[in-house]
Amino acid sequence: FSLNLAADCNAVLKALQPIFQEQGMTETVHNWEDHGYLVTYIKKNGSFANLRIHPHGLVLVDLQSYNDDMKGREEVDQLLNKVEERMKELFHSNIKRVKRLPAILRGGVIDRYWPTADGRLVEYDIDEVVYDEDSPFQNIKILHSKQFGNILILSGDVNLAESDLAYTQAIMGSGKEDYTGKEVLILGGGDGGILYEIVKLKPKMVTMVEISFDKWPELSADTLALSIVTSSNIDQMVIDGCKKHMRKTCGDVLDNLKGECYQVLIEDCIPVLKRYAKEGRMFDYVINDLTAVPISTSPEEDSTWEFLRLILDLSMKVLKQDGKYFTQGNCINLTDALTLYEEQLSRLYCPVEFSKETVCVPSYMELY
């Protein structure tokens, strides 16, 4: 409750006390001269409420219940309805705003709460855990959403849902590119979405380089650790999970690691890129689906920037003079991070031109 006037803390407390006492809840009152009251109410079944009354006119009620049935939820709603009615009786038109938030369900079998890239908490309509396994490098979850279909989540990071064709189309050039007869290199992309869409466009050959963690010869331990944390779609178990549970995204392209116009290499992409550069092998398109742009330049992020610059430089060495390199950026709200990434492009060994596009990725619930 946000009030238009200062709150009489004692009056609020006296008005609301009977509601909690009717529930058989034990009351404990803490008060400070200049900072109002904190009152806790505890029920014998373990449920409890916190009533925080701020003198400047903010009254907060938090209620936690251990009831997980419909009857328990109805009891919670009834109690909160009584609190709201009593507050309106007490303050009449002096209540500026009443805001009641939906209940957060903690410790459930299905985790419905996942953060956006810019740190906002989103509750998804997830109703089933489809796949939940730990590879040697990360936790792999595939959860079903009524809106978005199956969603791939790697170590707590929402990667891609079956609804997210917009992401795949954007990282391929938003339908503006002609892949017919072209040589294409995909870095990462273990969900198979990019490979599946490009194969439809009749390329000459698509090489998708997944990442094997057996050998990371050129990277420091710090770089390796951060790459494991931040890279997406990066091990065989991701491929195995996606080809079984994300078929609306990958079709049948992950059923075999080699097809008529594509091959999937489960190798470290860095030595592969170096080998291709040495052999003089060139590509019309390089698509980097390894990792998002880091959000800071703090010391723990330095090696991630190092990793990105290395991938960029190596990619330029295997890209034809008129070729194109596509990659994801990050959430549009992370303007500083995106600016830092653009600054990296001026530090490459060769000059490049770049453009950018913003798209809405459905399951991210944000613009990218």
Side-chain angles (χ1 to χ4, degrees), residues 130-133 138-143 149-154 157-162 168 188-196 208 210 232-257 264 266 289:
V130 176
Y131 182 86
D132 188 355
E133 298 288 343
Q138 62 189 332
N139 175 258
I140 305 162
K141 283 185 175 67
I142 298 177
L143 307 178
N150 286 345
I151 305 175
L152 175 65
I153 299 176
L154 299 179
D157 181 38
V158 175
N159 271 244
L160 195 75
E162 291 177 315
T168 303
D191 52 70
I194 299 170
L195 179 61
Y196 180 53
M208 186 172 105
E210 264 307 299
S232 64
N233 310 341
I234 52 182
D235 62 43
Q236 182 67 52
M237 288 182 66
V238 173
I239 291 179
D240 293 340
C242 288
K243 73 180 180 183
K244 185 175 181 180
H245 301 294
M246 300 279 291
R247 294 190 77 83
K248 289 183 181 178
T249 295
C250 66
D252 60 358
V253 295
L254 298 180
D255 292 351
N256 299 290
L257 298 183
V264 178
I266 308 296
D289 195 33

Side-chain angles (χ1 to χ4, degrees), residues 3-23:
L3 309 179
N4 287 319
L5 72 174
D8 182 336
C9 297
N10 191 56
V12 173
L13 175 59
K14 295 297 183 184
L16 299 182
Q17 269 178 336
I19 297 173
F20 297 101
Q21 290 170 350
E22 289 168 5
Q23 300 293 318

Side-chain angles (χ1 to χ4, degrees), residues 100-170:
R100 189 189 295 193
L101 300 176
I104 294 177
L105 304 178
R106 293 175 172 166
V109 175
I110 299 175
D111 186 358
R112 303 174 62 170
Y113 306 96
W114 300 94
T116 59
D118 59 349
R120 292 173 292 110
L121 186 62
V122 173
E123 179 178 0
Y124 286 82
D125 57 347
I126 292 167
D127 58 6
E128 182 184 358
V129 178
V130 176
Y131 182 86
D132 188 355
E133 298 288 343
D134 289 310
S135 79
F137 319 108
Q138 62 189 332
N139 175 258
I140 305 162
K141 283 185 175 67
I142 298 177
L143 307 178
H144 179 262
S145 157
K146 288 177 279 189
Q147 290 184 87
F148 306 122
N150 286 345
I151 305 175
L152 175 65
I153 299 176
L154 299 179
S155 295
D157 181 38
V158 175
N159 271 244
L160 195 75
E162 291 177 315
S163 63
D164 295 345
L165 183 60
Y167 173 93
T168 303
Q169 291 175 332

Side-chain angles (χ1 to χ4, degrees), residues 17-114:
Q17 269 178 336
I19 297 173
F20 297 101
Q21 290 170 350
E22 289 168 5
Q23 300 293 318
M25 304 180 87
T26 303
E27 178 186 81
T28 304
V29 180
H30 307 270
N31 65 79
W32 306 270
E33 288 185 5
D34 299 323
H35 301 289
Y37 287 14
L38 169 64
V39 190
T40 60
Y41 294 95
I42 302 174
K43 203 170 184 177
K44 288 182 179 179
N45 66 359
S47 299
F48 66 93
N50 291 323
L51 171 62
R52 184 70 172 94
I53 310 168
H54 294 271
H56 67 273
L58 181 65
V59 179
L60 307 175
V61 180
D62 294 312
L63 181 62
Q64 291 195 23
S65 172
Y66 289 89
N67 295 315
D68 194 29
D69 53 22
M70 189 56 66
K71 182 180 178 182
R73 295 181 187 183
E74 289 175 355
E75 289 177 354
V76 168
D77 283 338
Q78 289 172 5
L79 188 149
L80 293 176
N81 288 340
K82 289 180 180 179
V83 169
E84 187 171 337
E85 290 170 7
R86 191 67 55 86
M87 287 291 291
K88 288 179 178 178
E89 291 172 0
L90 185 63
F91 288 101
H92 304 289
S93 60
N94 287 316
I95 295 179
K96 181 165 53 178
R97 185 172 69 249
V98 178
K99 182 75 173 181
R100 189 189 295 193
L101 300 176
I104 294 177
L105 304 178
R106 293 175 172 166
V109 175
I110 299 175
D111 186 358
R112 303 174 62 170
Y113 306 96
W114 300 94

